[in-house]
């Protein structure tokens, strides 16, 4: 479902990214295929330097359908950025990709906190984030970070996913699945 970024999927990803319902919400915008290839190369180099973590999201047939990234990695934390091509919206790919990415970040790469800045006009993304039991609105608890990302304007809400809360939720969910399985077998 996830793979390290490479330039081979650039054409497919570029065509998905430029859709008018996707493009405004993409952090690393490219205005041509060549620029997208250049940005992908820069992303790969930045990951090698430890500045970010970037993966291509694949569907069940291995077709690239979007990207998921942790930007501005510093002191065990970074900012989540993800986008999916329009044909893949609402089909569950986003949650599967996030689960796999968060597992890699928290348990393989020693990330402690994932931040999400979501534009207040992006109601769909805010509702999706607030549905997740391990996501906390951090506007008050991380006020200085919120002020920094808003730059004096009131554009974003700040959300945080801590490794501890994510792990607790994962353990609780696993426990519920085991109990359910045991009840069915009884």
């Amino acid at each position: 479902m996830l793979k390290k970024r490479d330039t081979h999927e650039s054409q497919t990803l570029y065509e998905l990214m430029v859709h008018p319902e996707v493009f405004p919400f993409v952090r690393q915008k490219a205005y041509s295929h060549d620029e997208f290839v250049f940005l992908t190369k820069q992303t790969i180099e930045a990951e090698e330097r430890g500045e970010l973590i970037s993966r291509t999201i694949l569907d069940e047939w291995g077709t690239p359908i979007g990207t998921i990234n942790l930007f501005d990695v510093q002191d065990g934390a970074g900012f989540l950025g993800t986008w999916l091509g329009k044909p893949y919206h609402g089909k569950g790919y986003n949650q599967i990709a996030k689960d796999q990415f968060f597992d890699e970040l928290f348990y393989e790469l020693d990330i402690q906190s994932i931040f999400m800045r979501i534009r207040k006009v992006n109601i769909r993304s805010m509702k999706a984030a607030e549905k997740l039991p391990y996501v906390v609105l951090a506007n008050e608890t991380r006020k200085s970070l919120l002020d920094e990302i808003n730059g004096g304007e009131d554009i974003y809400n700040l959300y945080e996913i801590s490794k501890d809360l994510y792990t607790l939720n994962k353990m609780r969910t696993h426990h519920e699945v085991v109990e359910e399985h045991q009840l069915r077998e009884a």
Side-chain angles (χ1 to χ4, degrees), residues 79-115:
F79 283 88
L80 184 68
T82 182
W83 64 266
L84 286 173
K86 177 66 176 156
Y88 305 96
H89 289 184
K91 297 187 177 178
Y93 291 110
N94 197 13
Q95 190 55 53
I96 294 167
K98 282 181 179 164
D99 289 344
Q100 289 182 3
F101 194 55
F102 294 171
D103 283 352
E104 180 182 359
L105 294 175
F106 289 137
Y107 307 127
E108 296 174 33
L109 302 175
D110 203 31
I111 296 295
Q112 299 301 312
S113 284
I114 299 168
F115 295 108

Side-chain angles (χ1 to χ4, degrees), residues 26-45:
V26 174
R27 179 169 171 173
Q28 291 181 311
K29 291 175 175 32
Y31 296 91
S32 70
H33 175 257
D34 288 343
E35 186 180 2
F36 189 84
V37 172
F38 180 73
L39 281 174
T40 301
K41 288 178 181 176
Q42 284 187 321
T43 297
I44 293 166
E45 291 168 3

Side-chain angles (χ1 to χ4, degrees), residues 65-82:
I65 62 172
T67 70
I68 189 164
N69 308 278
L70 194 68
F71 293 106
D72 308 322
V73 174
Q74 197 173 8
D75 301 323
F79 283 88
L80 184 68
T82 182

Side-chain angles (χ1 to χ4, degrees), residues 1 4 20 30 32-33 53 59 64 68 77 88 95 110 119 123 134 153 158 163 168 170-171 175 177:
M1 185 89 208
K4 286 196 172 201
S32 70
H33 175 257
I53 300 161
D59 68 7
I68 189 164
Y88 305 96
Q95 190 55 53
D110 203 31
R119 287 183 182 94
I123 305 299
Y134 49 80
E153 297 180 49
L158 180 65
K163 180 178 181 177
L168 184 64
K170 197 171 176 81
M171 289 168 58
H175 181 70
V177 169

Side-chain angles (χ1 to χ4, degrees), residues 157-174:
N157 277 322
L158 180 65
Y159 297 87
E160 181 175 4
I161 302 163
S162 69
K163 180 178 181 177
D164 291 344
L165 196 52
Y166 179 78
T167 301
L168 184 64
N169 180 70
K170 197 171 176 81
M171 289 168 58
R172 190 187 83 235
T173 304
H174 175 73

